[in-house]
Amino acid sequence: MNRKTTHLFALSPAWVLFLVFLFINLVQSYFTPLINDEPYYWLWSQQVALGYFDHPPLIAWLIGAGNLLFHNELGVRIFTALSGSFTLLFLYKIIEAETSKPVNWKLVALLAGSSVFFNLYSFMAIPDTPLLFFTTLFLWQFRRYLNNDNTANSIALGLICALLLYAKYHGILVIGLTVLANIKLLKKRSFYLVFITTTILFIPHIWWQFTNNFPTLRFHFIENLSEFNFKNVFSYLGEQLALTGPVVLLLSTLFYKTQNPFQRTLKVVSLGIFAFFLISSFRGMINAYWTLAAWPGLIVIAYLQLTEKKKAQKLAVPFLLISLAFVIFIRINFLFNLFPIPNFNNRNPQKMVSTLKKASNKPLVFVNSFIDPSLFLFYGNDSCYAINNSNYKKTQFNYMAKQEAQIQGKDVVLVTNYAINNESKLVKIEKGRQYYLSEYPNFKSFQTTAHIDYSFPDKKYKAESKIMIPIVLNNTINANQPDSIQQINIIFNMKLEKNGDLYTCTKNYQLNSNK
């Protein structure tokens, strides 16, 4: 009688895919220079905190832990590469649990491998990578919770919810839409154990927000608002249709008939995220990757739909193969820097650092940039700083008082993307960007140190009232720079007693040194 031999170290297809994907991610992590916003989050890791200006702190903690192991790009990405690879493993496990047939591992690999988002955010050290992982882990654990809502599963789900929120605030969409898809959860005692666990674990970050005057909330909901523009809506629609397979994942999710509450949850979460950001596009620009948390649900449902509808699978596979070829090309490009892609590998950081160092032996102060100074700090092992005007968004540099204090009164070189005066020197970086360097003696800035306290007289004001506020500036005009312009940005927050609304008024005052 012949018996099937079972090898001691035999691996399931899920673990084989995990190991292959992990190997690819580790190679990519080691040989690819920092891209996109990675150097900015590395900067965060150098100042470990419970929160940062525009995101929760988990990505900084992961990078900081990796830096203890390796002092290079692999150290920055080691834990995001691991989490990205585990994302694929848990997706496979979810699919395996939702189908009665053996899993078609080739189709799973094709669905995941053909996604630009899934690939980029499986190794890049930015908040979206842990967001993708903990969204997948949340869905995996939520399925276990639906099947058995005991104390252990409830606490585990609460822990994952907290980590999801520590990864990126978009996690609240995943949690909120899950509750919306399962409204009966509100009647379960175990659900409140999940809520309590999440809240307790997230209190440290809430406390950080409170003690720092809620900088993240003010940035996203007050300071970062823009006017309605149809261009933002059409841009959002076009990007999402192109990136979802193209369209394959989105259409599969849209037309799939769910078989149980968990599948309903996947569908509501995925389509709900797209709907939320579609509505949000009417109030401002939406970055394409903000819908990333929808991808785990999309991939699972697309697999279920395509294995059920064989004709749809035959139609979809060619599109997925084209996307896979594109993804492979992008990954190879990042390895060898074949051509620049805006906002990713268009800076050639090592060359940029060496060129700027040769061009100046003075401290560098970057203007209206947070990626370039972060790259300089990582690859240059040298100090620098960054400032911004009112037309540029705030960054973590606006809260780095110690670093700002170190350059006060020193002779510096301003690094800009435009010429400040006739003495500005143009520097071009091979396979990178171009910069203007302008010497600036006795530099002073007030990003983290200037505070104006003014008490309004106790009288009633109309909405159109003009109020004169005395401001005295000492030693802020540089007589040696007659062409320089110094800008002071003043933001007034007034609460009118009449209706209690908060009015924010920004005025820009420009002072010319000749006056």
Side-chain angles (χ1 to χ4, degrees):
M1 180 177 178
N2 293 328
R3 292 185 178 181
K4 189 175 181 181
T5 303
T6 301
H7 295 285
L8 179 63
F9 296 103
L11 294 175
S12 68
W15 281 103
V16 172
L17 284 179
F18 165 79
L19 291 174
V20 171
F21 207 54
L22 178 60
F23 174 77
I24 294 172
N25 282 338
L26 291 177
V27 171
Q28 187 91 57
S29 298
Y30 181 79
F31 289 102
T32 302
L34 298 188
I35 56 179
N36 196 251
D37 292 349
E38 288 183 308
Y40 183 54
Y41 299 118
W42 167 84
L43 175 68
W44 289 13
S45 72
Q46 304 306 293
Q47 299 176 318
V48 179
L50 290 171
Y52 297 89
F53 167 60
D54 43 2
H55 285 299
L58 183 57
I59 186 60
W61 298 347
L62 294 175
I63 295 173
N67 285 332
L68 297 176
L69 301 175
F70 308 102
H71 299 290
N72 54 20
E73 291 89 348
L74 181 59
V76 173
R77 298 179 175 128
I78 181 76
F79 286 107
T80 51
L82 279 168
S83 66
S85 303
F86 272 111
T87 298
L88 178 59
L89 178 65
F90 279 101
L91 269 179
Y92 194 103
K93 293 297 183 181
I94 293 173
I95 291 172
E96 193 174 47
E98 284 300 312
T99 180
S100 58
K101 301 178 182 178
V103 176
N104 182 346
W105 65 268
K106 294 180 181 179
L107 182 58
V108 175
L110 184 58
L111 286 168
S114 62
S115 168
V116 176
F117 282 171
F118 195 88
N119 277 265
L120 291 182
Y121 304 125
S122 67
F123 76 93
M124 286 175 56
I126 60 177
D128 303 272
T129 304
L131 170 69
L132 183 63
F133 168 67
F134 283 110
T135 297
T136 307
L137 188 61
F138 167 83
L139 294 172
W140 176 80
Q141 179 61 26
F142 182 70
R143 186 182 185 279
R144 288 162 54 88
Y145 169 80
L146 284 178
N147 293 332
N148 186 3
D149 60 344
N150 57 29
T151 300
N153 279 336
S154 299
I155 294 176
L157 186 60
L159 170 63
I160 295 170
C161 286
L163 290 170
L164 181 58
L165 295 176
Y166 272 110
K168 199 171 183 179
Y169 297 122
H170 290 183
I172 199 169
L173 274 177
V174 178
I175 299 170
L177 289 167
T178 298
V179 175
L180 184 63
N182 302 271
I183 203 68
K184 291 183 179 180
L185 288 174
L186 299 176
K187 297 180 179 179
K188 287 188 174 185
R189 291 184 179 181
S190 60
F191 172 75
Y192 292 96
L193 179 57
V194 176
F195 176 79
I196 292 170
T197 303
T198 303
T199 303
I200 291 174
L201 294 174
F202 202 59
I203 281 176
H205 181 66
I206 296 173
W207 177 252
W208 179 89
Q209 288 284 353
F210 176 77
T211 56
N212 288 274
N213 196 24
F214 299 98
T216 313
L217 296 178
R218 287 189 289 108
F219 171 71
H220 287 296
F221 294 104
I222 299 177
E223 300 172 8
N224 203 30
L225 294 177
S226 59
E227 296 180 355
F228 168 74
N229 190 332
F230 265 121
K231 182 180 178 181
N232 294 328
V233 180
F234 293 135
S235 175
Y236 169 78
L237 291 173
E239 289 171 346
Q240 299 306 319
L241 291 175
L243 290 169
T244 50
V247 191
V248 172
L249 300 181
L250 193 57
L251 288 179
S252 297
T253 304
L254 189 62
F255 292 111
Y256 180 72
K257 294 182 180 179
T258 59
Q259 306 298 315
N260 54 53
F262 177 69
Q263 291 183 10
R264 182 181 68 241
T265 303
L266 295 178
K267 188 168 185 175
V268 170
V269 169
S270 299
L271 297 181
I273 289 173
F274 283 107
F276 175 84
F277 285 110
L278 174 60
I279 295 171
S280 299
S281 68
F282 284 85
R283 60 176 285 272
M285 185 190 74
I286 302 298
N287 289 320
Y289 59 87
W290 285 357
T291 59
L292 181 67
W295 250 250
L298 288 178
I299 291 175
V300 172
I301 292 182
Y303 175 89
L304 297 174
Q305 174 77 338
L306 294 179
T307 51
E308 182 180 301
K309 307 290 184 181
K310 295 297 182 181
K311 290 184 178 180
Q313 184 176 332
K314 289 182 179 180
L315 291 173
V317 166
F319 289 101
L320 295 175
L321 288 173
I322 292 172
S323 294
L324 177 62
F326 177 72
V327 167
I328 293 173
F329 181 65
I330 293 298
R331 277 194 174 244
I332 292 174
N333 175 47
F334 287 159
L335 281 174
F336 299 103
N337 197 22
L338 301 176
F339 64 92
I341 299 178
N343 300 321
F344 281 91
N345 64 329
N346 61 333
R347 284 180 166 86
N348 196 3
Q350 294 98 328
K351 188 67 175 180
M352 178 199 80
V353 169
S354 63
T355 303
L356 292 181
K357 279 191 170 185
K358 290 178 182 179
S360 173
N361 59 358
K362 296 181 176 65
L364 300 182
V365 177
F366 291 80
V367 180
N368 289 351
S369 176
F370 59 93
I371 301 299
D372 294 318
S374 300
L375 282 170
F376 189 86
L377 289 167
F378 182 82
Y379 287 104
N381 293 318
D382 204 350
S383 62
C384 70
Y385 190 63
I387 60 175
N388 59 277
N389 61 26
S390 63
N391 296 321
Y392 194 80
K393 68 177 184 179
K394 287 184 179 180
T395 70
Q396 190 65 29
F397 283 99
N398 292 91
Y399 297 87
M400 296 169 60
K402 181 179 178 181
Q403 288 73 13
E404 184 179 26
Q406 291 174 350
I407 58 172
Q408 298 307 300
K410 290 187 178 181
D411 296 345
V412 304
V413 170
L414 296 182
V415 184
T416 59
N417 58 4
Y418 57 90
I420 291 180
N421 51 43
N422 294 332
E423 303 300 321
S424 298
K425 177 184 177 182
L426 175 63
V427 175
K428 294 183 179 180
I429 310 300
E430 180 185 354
K431 288 189 176 181
R433 307 175 74 183
Q434 66 178 33
Y435 305 91
Y436 286 90
L437 305 185
S438 309
E439 293 191 3
Y440 203 100
N442 192 25
F443 177 81
K444 289 184 175 64
S445 61
F446 303 96
Q447 287 195 141
T448 64
T449 56
H451 300 281
I452 300 173
D453 295 322
Y454 181 77
S455 298
F456 290 90
D458 188 14
K459 56 182 289 188
K460 292 183 178 180
Y461 294 99
K462 295 181 179 179
E464 64 275 8
S465 298
K466 292 184 178 180
I467 305 171
M468 299 296 294
I469 299 178
I471 300 176
V472 179
L473 304 175
N474 295 318
N475 299 323
T476 60
I477 304 301
N478 192 334
N480 296 323
Q481 291 282 1
D483 295 326
S484 68
I485 290 187
Q486 302 200 7
Q487 177 171 282
I488 301 170
N489 308 309
I490 304 174
I491 298 178
F492 299 102
N493 291 320
M494 299 187 221
K495 190 171 184 179
L496 302 183
E497 294 182 0
K498 182 177 180 181
N499 51 25
D501 290 339
L502 180 66
Y503 289 81
T504 301
C505 175
T506 302
K507 297 292 184 183
N508 299 324
Y509 296 88
Q510 290 187 337
L511 306 178
N512 191 286
S513 58
N514 288 327
K515 295 182 180 179

